[in-house]
Amino acid sequence: MAVQSSLSAPLGPAACEKDAKALQFIEEMTKNADSVQEKVLAEILSRNAETEYLQRFKLKGSTHRDTFKSKIPVITYENLQPEIQRIANGDRSAILSAHPISEFLTSSGTSAGERKLMPTIQEELDRRQLLYSLLMPVMNLYVPDLDKGKGLYFLFVKSETKTPGGLPARPVLTSYYKSDKFKTRPFDPYMVYTSPNEAILCADSFQSMYTQMLCGLYQQKEVLRVGAVFASGLLRAIRFLQLNWQQLVHDIATGTLNPKITDPSVRDSVSSHILNPNPELAEFITNQCSGENWEGIIARIWPNTKYLDVIVTGAMAQYIPTLDYYSGGLPLACTMYASSECYFGLNLKPMCKPSEVSYTIMPNMAYFEFLPHEPSSGLSRNSPPRLVDLADLEIGKEYELVITTYAGLCRYRVGDILRVTGFHNSAPQFHFVRRKNVLLSIDSDKTDEAELQKAVENASELLREFNTSVVEYTSYADTKTIPGHYVIYWELLGKDPGNAPSREVLNQCCLAMEESLNSVYRQGRVADNSIGALEIRVVKSGTFEELMDYAISRGASINQYKVPRCVNFTPIMELLDSRVLSAHFSPAVPHWTPERRR
Ligand code: AMP
């Protein structure tokens, strides 16, 4: 077993008594990673021994690791779909978990175009809360005096629905913010936010963002850290400020509240906290925002900010240059790694450079296994893959994360590829490499190759009457604008030059593509305003052949060459962009409602 305990320096000294306990907990969990894992698995298997799922595989009450591994299959969401559907339809028997499923968490990962439904149980809230409670004690090791001010965090709830059987279905953060754990959290000087709960809990995204921004501006000198969950969310807040600063300044100058804020609880909470006229502050913000140059705007408006608290690992890395621009190069802290299925772990060095971020999985959160990820060799059908335990991983190797949770997911493939970078005590630390099968992502949307292909096929139906077809295509996530948007390059073949599709038809093709993308994408377009209108750039005929010539000139094999369905290499982008004949945007937003299609 790869025990590395002698290599890790202990975490500390703690900033206060409470932090000392949290750090001690991290040390204990990571020093005993393997035995904690064994205990977690035994606990999960013994409490769920009578569930239909474990009985089906004849585990017969065994809590032994080897028996578990030999009898229980490694699965994906699709394998579990029938059980999930039964629970969603109201079957309350112990299908996956002996504890009642309290709600479904709607993942940003999709299946058949809809968010995956992750079953959860009440006590998982405690486990999530526990992980949250470790974040500030670690941060306090690196950044002093965070108790002397506040955090400006842009946090939002999203719409929720009920399954046919009556269980709530909502995103994990919506579930958390609406829980008493968040709403009635005890005062902690290290966790004071500028946003009132009412603003965070307001379901109207404009009112929520407006009042959170207003409160952040009012308390501008007290703000020590600025954050959102993901980088894209913080940039959306900056864009919001660009569009709305005049009205915000008006409110600050006059001590009134924009009449568009109609939610009574939000009005009350904002008014009672901050609404005194402050012409000086209004003038300061006007000076900052009225110029063309928004470089370093975050550090200028909130001059005491020590760092930005946003995830910039994985797909979010594309936003680092833009965040650096708006923040004037403030440190970026990635604090945790989590999902709807399970919260995984935290970054023990949150002030490190984004490229060096490693997450330490906390062994008490679930039972973790790792599927060696060797894309080139491929997995043989005859020999089932051997999954590796948390404490036995090898530094430098890549693995796919497989989890067994208290809520009843057994050997479930999350779809994240992680690389081991080191160990803290005996717990491995991971670089988040990527999520499998994601071609395009702007916010929490994840579009895979098959979805893109289908979208192109559906849209090109509109070209049929013009005797025109899409002969090749590729795509690009353009994040230079806020919000970012998908760009699809099309090479067309028209057989009837006198009857070419009009601009209007090509605009409609953009919308047709959007209509066939998954519900997380469409929600981003419609409700969250986190994704801009899809763009089709029609390129000259022969462009994709040039693309192939370019790839071959760089060493690609002519026999094996395949058109890349997503590009982001600058010379290729330049080649494509230099061949653009016309650009088209969706003229409207696609359909989206909180209700699921199935
Ligand atoms: P969701 O199921 O919508 O909560 O999304 C969870 C997924 O988001 C994870 O499985 C990861 O792919 C991604 N994710 C979560 N935290 C991070 C992080 N710190 N860095 C990179 N990707 C992350």
Side-chain angles (χ1 to χ4, degrees), residues 16-44:
C16 61
E17 190 68 20
K18 194 162 147 244
D19 284 10
K21 277 200 183 136
L23 299 179
Q24 179 64 29
F25 178 77
I26 296 174
E27 294 294 9
E28 275 165 24
M29 288 297 122
T30 54
K31 275 185 183 149
N32 304 307
D34 196 52
S35 58
V36 173
Q37 281 284 276
E38 191 166 22
K39 196 172 130 252
V40 165
L41 180 64
E43 234 171 66
I44 293 173

Side-chain angles (χ1 to χ4, degrees), residues 88 250 391:
H250 173 268

